[in-house]
Amino acid sequence: MRSGARLRRWVARARLSSLRTTFTVSFAAVAAAVTVLVGFLSYDAAARLVRVDQQTVFEGVVQDLLDEVRHSALTPADFATADADGGPRDELIRPSGTVVQVLGPDASVVDRGHPPLPVGADDRRIAAARPAGQLVEHRDVDVGDGMYRVATVSLGDGRGAVQIAQEFSDTEDLLRELQQRTVLLVGAVVIAAGLFGWWLARRITSRLVRLAGAAEDVARTGRLGIQVPVAGYDEVARLGRSFDRMLGRLAQSEEDQRRLVQDAGHELRTPLTSLRTNISMLRRIDELPPAARGELVADLAQESRELTDLVNELVDLAAGQSDREPLQRVALADIAEDVAVAARRRTGRAVTVRVSGDTVVDGRPGALQRALSNLVDNAAKFDRGGGEPIDIVVTGTGVPVGTSAGADVGAAVRVEVLDRGPGIAEEDLDRVFDRFYRAPDARSLPGSGLGLSIVREVAAAHGGDPFARRREGGGSAIGFTVGRGGGG
């Protein structure tokens, strides 16, 4: 048995561990996907922006040079040296650190660039060209340790040409470094997301592990009083609190059943003992005088009726909370009329019904009729004089019923049975609805002490409460309230 319990516990923990792993991997995967996507888009946008900006600046410098040589007759000397006041050469260098190299009429290098730029056949042809502003552009030229973009512009009339170059290998190196850092950052974020997901999954599933352990302990030991660990306010905490309340209700139900069985066993001993004694006397019935025989038979009949009533009430009480009778719209005034008709026929007493207000509720007609019948029977049993009728008063009070603040439980209907019997002692008012409780003055009368406890169960199932009080001028007023919403 122990090995089986350990195996079940291991399986439950393995499933929770699998859930923890799934949660961790899922969290890390989502974080990785989002981070990779954001990183790729960010790098692509940054690289595109840098390259386009660099290309735009270079094209602007080339266009400025073209405009200048087309509108002014410039010579290689004008570009050979930097001018303190800002000459053509300075205008080319300032925007982006452009490399400038000047060629003479024979394509000889008049002013070498830093680094020196290569001079090809197209560059020599441009230097000897007659029109000013002719252009030849070279891309991806290997100059020294870097890659350059080179453009050669003719000065016109065979005076030479000007070469301008822009290095883009530094930009590509910068972008490659940015790419490497982006990859490292993505990897770090993915690892951090995985660790955080593992920690979060462990924190969540640890409470599930404790909750599963509590459920397994209940299943293994059958003890419903196990304390369920509850912490937090999320869905797991709500599950734990719901499970704890469920165990509490089950424990209360089990305790109620145990008490009912104990009380029922105690109450059944007396009539069963009396029946056994009288049955043993039946063996000698021929030896008894006629009066004793009649008394014995009467006692047997009375005790069998009391035992039957007791068993019926026990069954009704035990099935009270599991009643499958559906809720429906019922008028308590109609139920009161039916109970009054049955009571008049059964007891021969005058029973009146007084109704005021709206008495329609959602309820179980059978249970409500049984509770009201118990009250009328109780009144008839104690009011033996019969001088005044038994009154059934049904009132739609409009008073909210329920204990939950802000709960929409509706208004109450009050049902009250009035009699002129001996009344209930003050010390007994709080106990008359307890199971098997019988006041000292009523212990000599027939009954099981369960009738009013059934009234309490029916009232509670319909969102109301029982009540009892003494009447002025003698007698009792016993009844219950019912919520408009009915029972759950």
Side-chain angles (χ1 to χ4, degrees):
M1 293 295 292
R2 291 184 178 178
S3 61
R6 283 196 294 267
L7 179 60
R8 287 192 297 272
R9 183 173 298 181
W10 181 87
V11 170
R13 289 181 177 177
R15 290 175 179 173
L16 290 172
S17 298
S18 177
L19 177 63
R20 182 183 302 172
T21 302
T22 302
F23 186 87
T24 302
V25 173
S26 301
F27 193 90
V30 171
V34 172
T35 306
V36 168
L37 180 62
V38 171
F40 172 77
L41 294 178
S42 299
Y43 170 78
D44 183 70
R48 189 185 303 273
L49 183 63
V50 170
R51 290 188 179 112
V52 170
D53 183 69
Q54 190 180 43
Q55 178 67 23
T56 301
V57 171
F58 183 72
E59 290 175 352
V61 172
V62 172
Q63 187 61 45
D64 290 342
L65 177 59
L66 289 173
D67 293 340
E68 191 169 6
V69 299
R70 286 170 180 170
H71 294 87
S72 302
L74 300 176
T75 64
D78 294 325
F79 294 93
T81 57
D83 192 341
D85 295 334
R89 186 186 183 93
D90 293 333
E91 295 297 330
L92 298 177
I93 296 174
R94 284 174 186 170
S96 60
T98 308
V99 177
V100 178
Q101 181 169 277
V102 184
L103 303 180
D106 56 354
S108 61
V109 178
V110 177
D111 188 359
R112 193 175 302 277
H114 301 285
L117 302 178
V119 180
D122 290 337
D123 299 320
R124 286 191 289 271
R125 178 178 56 80
I126 288 296
R130 303 296 297 175
Q134 285 194 0
L135 171 68
V136 62
E137 188 173 354
H138 307 283
R139 296 180 180 274
D140 302 338
V141 178
D142 189 4
V143 179
D145 296 332
M147 298 296 293
Y148 284 76
R149 183 180 293 108
V150 181
T152 304
V153 178
S154 65
L155 296 177
D157 295 330
R159 292 191 297 269
V162 176
Q163 289 183 302
I164 55 177
Q166 181 187 50
E167 184 178 11
F168 63 86
S169 58
D170 288 345
T171 301
E172 295 300 324
D173 292 341
L174 177 63
L175 291 177
R176 278 193 294 272
E177 184 178 357
L178 176 62
Q179 186 181 45
Q180 293 173 356
R181 291 188 178 183
T182 301
V183 171
L184 292 176
L185 179 61
V186 169
V189 169
V190 170
I191 294 174
L195 293 175
F196 178 75
W198 177 83
W199 172 82
L200 185 62
R202 186 173 182 272
R203 181 174 180 180
I204 293 175
T205 56
S206 61
R207 290 183 292 166
L208 290 176
V209 169
R210 292 195 296 269
L211 186 58
E216 290 166 357
D217 290 340
V218 171
R220 185 179 65 257
T221 63
R223 293 186 295 109
L224 300 175
I226 293 177
Q227 185 67 31
V228 178
V230 178
Y233 299 94
D234 56 6
E235 287 77 4
V236 177
R238 288 171 53 195
L239 175 63
R241 279 190 285 270
S242 298
F243 186 68
D244 190 42
R245 287 195 295 268
M246 180 187 70
L247 288 181
R249 291 197 175 187
L250 288 175
Q252 183 62 44
S253 177
E254 186 179 54
E255 175 64 18
D256 291 342
Q257 291 178 1
R258 185 185 62 81
R259 288 178 48 242
L260 179 61
V261 170
Q262 290 178 346
D263 293 343
H266 175 74
E267 292 297 323
L268 286 170
R269 286 192 190 99
T270 300
L272 287 175
T273 301
S274 180
L275 275 173
R276 191 164 52 246
T277 301
N278 288 330
I279 290 173
S280 66
M281 292 292 296
L282 287 176
R283 298 175 182 176
R284 302 168 50 198
I285 192 170
D286 294 336
E287 302 175 8
L288 298 177
R293 293 178 189 177
E295 184 179 351
L296 177 60
V297 173
D299 286 344
L300 284 171
Q302 177 64 29
E303 289 163 357
S304 63
R305 283 194 299 271
E306 290 184 6
L307 183 60
T308 300
D309 293 340
L310 176 59
V311 171
N312 289 336
E313 289 178 336
L314 281 173
V315 171
D316 289 341
L317 190 62
Q321 293 300 325
S322 60
D323 193 352
R324 298 302 181 186
E325 185 181 11
L327 285 173
Q328 54 185 288
R329 298 292 287 175
V330 295
L332 285 176
D334 295 340
I335 292 178
E337 290 289 352
D338 294 340
V339 170
V341 170
R344 295 188 196 106
R345 183 173 60 250
R346 185 173 58 251
T347 65
R349 295 288 304 275
V351 181
T352 63
V353 178
R354 290 182 286 165
V355 179
S356 62
D358 182 12
T359 66
V360 177
V361 297
D362 290 334
R364 296 182 174 90
L368 292 171
Q369 185 167 358
R370 178 59 189 274
L372 188 51
S373 295
N374 286 356
L375 292 178
V376 174
D377 291 343
N378 191 72
K381 179 173 63 176
F382 287 98
D383 185 6
R384 293 185 171 183
E388 295 186 21
I390 297 172
D391 293 330
I392 302 176
V393 182
V394 184
T395 308
T397 64
V399 178
V401 175
T403 57
S404 299
D408 184 16
V409 293
V413 176
R414 183 184 180 92
V415 180
E416 192 172 24
V417 175
L418 310 176
D419 65 65
R420 285 299 181 184
I424 303 173
E426 289 290 341
E427 60 271 16
D428 294 327
L429 287 176
D430 296 333
R431 301 188 60 190
V432 293
F433 295 100
D434 293 344
R435 293 175 181 172
F436 300 107
Y437 179 76
R438 303 181 71 186
D441 296 340
R443 289 172 186 169
S444 60
L445 299 175
S448 63
L450 289 175
L452 294 184
S453 65
I454 293 176
V455 173
R456 181 185 63 184
E457 296 291 338
V458 172
H462 287 78
D465 295 293
F467 60 87
R469 60 182 175 84
R470 294 171 61 86
R471 292 183 67 188
E472 294 183 5
S476 303
I478 307 178
F480 59 94
T481 58
V482 178
R484 291 283 186 192

